[in-house]
Amino acid sequence: AQTVTQSQPEMSVQEAETVTLSCTYDTSESDYYLFWYKQPPSRQMILVIRQEAYKQQNATENRFSVNFQKAAKSFSLKISDSQLGDAAMYFCAYRRSGGSNYKLTFGKGTLLTVNP
Amino acid sequence: GAGVSQSPSNKVTEKGKDVELRCDPISGHTALYWYRQSLGQGLEFLIYFQGNSAPDKSGLPSDRFSAERTGGSVSTLTIQRTQQEDSAVYLCASSPKRGGPSTDTQYFGPGTRLTVL
């Protein structure tokens, strides 16, 4: 079974600074997808960024980028120029590529605090 | 357009009572997922619907939990004889399943917070 581990229960960052959230995963499959979701206090899970395992290029979305190390099974999220609105719980998630069930396997989350 | 909606937003019930949680997916989304978010276990997959059928129910924790989907749209998660350990946030997500796995994205609702006293 696939597992996702987020080793940092909490992180904090100063506004406008950069922070990196860690995620490692375990899988025997060669093709899969990785995601970072953000969950603010409203509870609504919002997709931040996605990465296809077969792509070597790291995904970027504006101030958000990932460092995908397939051999190390590592998938960290970097948030640049942190803003107060970035404060939330962040979840790393894994999804298989094959089959028809695209269910997500989540890590336990990292609570990010942004200090003004 | 409208996103995924869930009702009720919060539900408080007494141990032993039955509860129904509702999910309205985005119109046209054929896939629907239920997840449970609890303090001790994090986010766990419960059940997956494709249309009205549920090919994967592997995450349902016990036979007290059941779910159905009708008309390829609304889904209801039912918990019978609720226990205190059922207290959690129940999240629903839907996805279009068009274009294959590389483009598919799950859109989440705001969840239902269930408290069992």
Side-chain angles (χ1 to χ4, degrees):
Chain A
Q2 294 81 20
T3 59
V4 178
T5 302
Q6 294 178 249
S7 59
Q8 306 153 316
E10 297 184 27
M11 291 282 285
S12 64
V13 63
Q14 290 296 125
E15 196 174 3
E17 297 293 309
T18 295
V19 64
T20 298
L21 308 184
S22 301
C23 173
T24 59
Y25 58 94
D26 187 25
T27 183
S28 59
E29 300 178 344
S30 60
D31 198 15
Y32 46 86
Y33 297 85
L34 296 166
F35 305 83
W36 279 98
Y37 276 88
K38 168 185 177 181
Q39 187 181 42
S42 68
R43 298 199 305 245
Q44 189 104 34
M45 297 278 281
I46 303 165
L47 178 64
V48 175
I49 199 165
R50 66 193 289 144
Q51 174 81 40
E52 291 91 337
Y54 64 86
K55 289 186 177 179
Q56 292 185 339
Q57 186 174 6
N58 289 322
T60 62
E61 287 288 343
N62 300 315
R63 298 182 295 106
F64 299 87
S65 62
V66 299
N67 183 3
F68 174 49
Q69 301 290 328
K70 190 173 184 180
K73 296 180 181 176
S74 171
F75 181 62
S76 61
L77 174 70
K78 185 171 82 171
I79 306 174
S80 303
D81 186 24
S82 297
Q83 301 176 0
L84 295 177
D86 296 333
M89 184 73 92
Y90 285 81
F91 291 94
C92 178
Y94 169 102
R95 193 189 79 199
R96 294 178 61 192
S97 175
S100 62
N101 183 352
Y102 297 164
K103 67 181 178 183
L104 297 167
T105 301
F106 288 91
K108 292 196 181 297
T110 296
L111 180 62
L112 178 67
T113 302
V114 181
N115 300 311
Chain B
V4 177
S5 61
Q6 293 185 246
S7 60
S9 178
N10 293 283
K11 175 72 176 179
V12 179
T13 190
E14 294 179 348
K15 178 181 172 181
K17 295 286 181 67
D18 297 351
V19 296
E20 285 190 351
L21 312 180
R22 176 186 170 108
C23 173
D24 283 86
I26 294 172
S27 177
H29 281 195
T30 60
L32 187 147
Y33 304 80
W34 282 97
Y35 296 89
R36 180 169 71 172
Q37 184 174 19
S38 57
L39 281 176
Q41 301 299 322
L43 267 158
E44 306 169 283
F45 164 79
L46 296 178
I47 187 170
Y48 156 62
F49 285 93
Q50 180 57 40
N52 291 336
S53 64
D56 188 350
K57 306 178 184 180
S58 62
L60 294 178
S62 75
D63 58 7
R64 296 186 296 104
F65 287 72
S66 62
E68 65 174 12
R69 189 179 183 194
T70 55
S73 180
V74 173
S75 176
T76 303
L77 177 68
T78 301
I79 309 173
Q80 295 179 312
R81 305 181 302 281
T82 52
Q83 303 295 313
Q84 289 183 333
E85 61 262 29
D86 299 334
S87 295
V89 173
Y90 290 82
L91 293 167
C92 173
S94 70
S95 72
K97 292 293 290 290
R98 288 188 297 271
S102 64
T103 55
D104 195 74
T105 296
Q106 291 185 29
Y107 297 86
F108 284 79
T112 294
R113 181 179 297 280
L114 175 66
T115 303
V116 182
L117 302 177

